[in-house]
Amino acid sequence: MTTYQLVEYATRMDMRDQILATAQRLVQQRGFNGFSYADIADDVGIRKASLHHYFPTKADLGRALIDSYTTELESALQRITASKAPADEKLKSYAGIFRASLTAERMCLCGMLATEAQTLDPAMLPGLHRFFSRNTEWLTGILADGNSKGVLDFKGPATAHARSILSLLQGALLIARGTGDHKNFDQSVSLLIEGLTRQG
């Protein structure tokens, strides 16, 4: 590959990243059905027709967004897992991922997409399912580890609690975004952690 080809390739990749970043913000703020290719083109400064070179259809863009967002999540989960913090602190760090979205006046991308699931292209749904499954799988591991070490205390399967945690955080984020009451989100997280922490 020549130097010119390398530069051209890097430029294309940089534009692709810009498109994904803009589309991610728009989805998190407006929903997948709340923006068009024209909105992205205006933001990144290219022709609308040029977007189809990178993502031929909006479903292609949606699938790429889910994959990219899941990769970001995986990196965050790996950092939390690698820390030597106890399970309750890891859960707080996990909740912090959602809090960061709230601070940025955004929703979880996949949480937003889930609200539109019936109108999404079916090709996007497997990636969406994988995202939520990965969250549940990771939470289950943290909960089971915390319970075995006496840091957390709960009854029933860890997987059931993992699903409840994910549901609570997604719901708390949605309500906080809708009401503008960020303190309610923080209070919900505190009550969640306290409820899982072994007392005494």
Side-chain angles (χ1 to χ4, degrees), residues 32-200:
F32 193 70
N33 296 316
F35 74 93
S36 67
Y37 268 26
D39 294 316
I40 300 175
D42 288 343
D43 192 275
V44 300
I46 63 174
R47 293 182 301 110
K48 178 182 172 182
S50 299
L51 283 173
H52 293 280
H53 172 73
Y54 297 95
F55 303 102
T57 68
K58 197 174 180 183
D60 292 324
L61 174 60
R63 291 167 63 189
L65 282 170
I66 294 170
D67 289 345
S68 175
Y69 197 71
T70 302
T71 298
E72 290 178 17
L73 169 78
E74 192 61 49
S75 295
L77 296 183
Q78 288 178 5
R79 287 194 297 272
I80 297 172
T81 302
S83 74
K84 296 182 179 180
D88 58 331
E89 291 299 323
K90 288 180 178 178
L91 290 177
K92 290 178 184 177
S93 295
Y94 175 76
I97 297 173
F98 293 82
R99 186 61 168 86
S101 293
L102 180 59
T103 300
E105 298 295 336
R106 300 186 186 190
M107 285 292 296
C108 164
L109 180 132
C110 288
M112 184 69 92
L113 290 176
T115 68
E116 303 175 282
Q118 292 186 331
T119 63
L120 297 179
D121 188 294
M124 294 172 59
L125 299 182
L128 195 58
H129 296 163
R130 284 193 296 272
F131 175 84
F132 290 117
S133 293
R134 178 57 185 135
N135 277 267
T136 301
E137 176 187 73
W138 184 85
L139 284 167
T140 298
I142 297 299
L143 288 167
D145 181 66
N147 196 37
S148 69
K149 293 178 178 176
V151 177
L152 303 177
D153 185 24
F154 55 86
K155 296 180 180 179
T159 301
H161 287 277
R163 292 195 188 101
S164 294
I165 291 171
L166 180 57
S167 297
L168 182 146
L169 291 173
Q170 291 284 1
L173 179 57
L174 180 65
I175 293 171
R177 176 82 190 285
T179 62
D181 189 348
H182 294 191
K183 289 183 179 179
N184 258 351
F185 178 88
D186 297 330
Q187 186 178 48
S188 295
V189 171
S190 294
L191 289 172
L192 169 68
I193 303 300
E194 288 172 9
L196 290 168
T197 303
R198 184 183 296 276
Q199 303 295 320

Side-chain angles (χ1 to χ4, degrees), residues 5-25:
Q5 288 173 321
L6 285 170
V7 171
E8 185 180 31
Y9 175 75
T11 301
R12 286 203 308 270
M13 291 303 294
D14 182 56
M15 178 55 67
R16 185 178 188 277
D17 290 342
Q18 288 183 51
I19 292 168
L20 284 174
T22 295
Q24 178 175 321
R25 173 178 55 79

